Amino acid sequence: MFGAAPATLSATGGASGQPVVFATPSAATICTVNGNTVTFTGVGTCNLTANQAAGGNYAAAPQVTASVVINGLRSASGTSPAGGSITAAFTGGNSSCSYASTAFTNPGAPTGVSLPHGAFGFTTSNCGEGAALNFTITYPQPLPEGAKYYKFGPTGRAPGGEW
């Protein structure tokens, strides 16, 4: 999944004793390979190859290929300023829709407003024009009765953002 930790590639076999060399012909915007580590950098299909050179009396091993479909990141977790884990997930948009950036922060709140669990900032990408997205935010404890949600962002009168 896009945004996941890098994965370690491994292969065994081949009598030549030569190391297995991993590579990808895919665009760097989808995945990259460095040694035996693959990093998923975007959404799409990551094609991987494994090659082992000839050595001694042994021919080169046949190339092995694998394809991994990388889906968009649709869930993010962080720590609440009040303690515990917060998860923000969404549904909707097309299959390439994903978080482009996420941040759990503790910004200054409007006068008279308390944000005990901080704020969740995000952008999405590749969701499709006019896509409807539905968000679910899970807090470490139930929110108190009468809790309100606030939205901060740019407006016509405040391009830098306002509540």
Side-chain angles (χ1 to χ4, degrees):
M1 175 179 295
F2 170 57
T8 301
L9 303 170
S10 65
T12 58
S16 74
Q18 298 297 316
V20 176
V21 177
F22 298 100
T24 179
S26 299
T29 55
I30 297 174
C31 62
T32 61
V33 172
N34 184 5
N36 68 338
T37 302
V38 60
T39 302
F40 303 112
T41 55
V43 176
T45 300
C46 175
N47 297 303
L48 299 166
T49 61
N51 293 286
Q52 187 177 38
N57 294 327
Y58 296 95
Q63 183 180 69
V64 176
T65 61
S67 295
V68 180
V69 176
I70 313 304
N71 295 314
L73 180 65
R74 291 178 170 248
S75 180
S77 294
T79 302
S80 166
S85 179
I86 301 173
T87 301
F90 74 90
T91 59
N94 62 36
S95 63
S96 296
C97 184
S98 67
Y99 281 126
S101 66
T102 61
F104 290 90
T105 63
N106 197 7
T111 303
V113 173
S114 169
L115 300 173
H117 294 292
F120 174 62
F122 67 92
T123 57
T124 58
S125 64
N126 302 316
C127 294
E129 188 172 333
L133 305 178
N134 298 300
F135 289 83
T136 302
I137 301 176
T138 306
Y139 295 97
Q141 305 91 15
L143 295 178
E145 183 82 25
K148 296 180 182 178
Y149 292 91
Y150 289 87
K151 178 182 175 184
F152 180 88
T155 65
R157 67 175 182 236
E162 68 180 347
W163 291 98

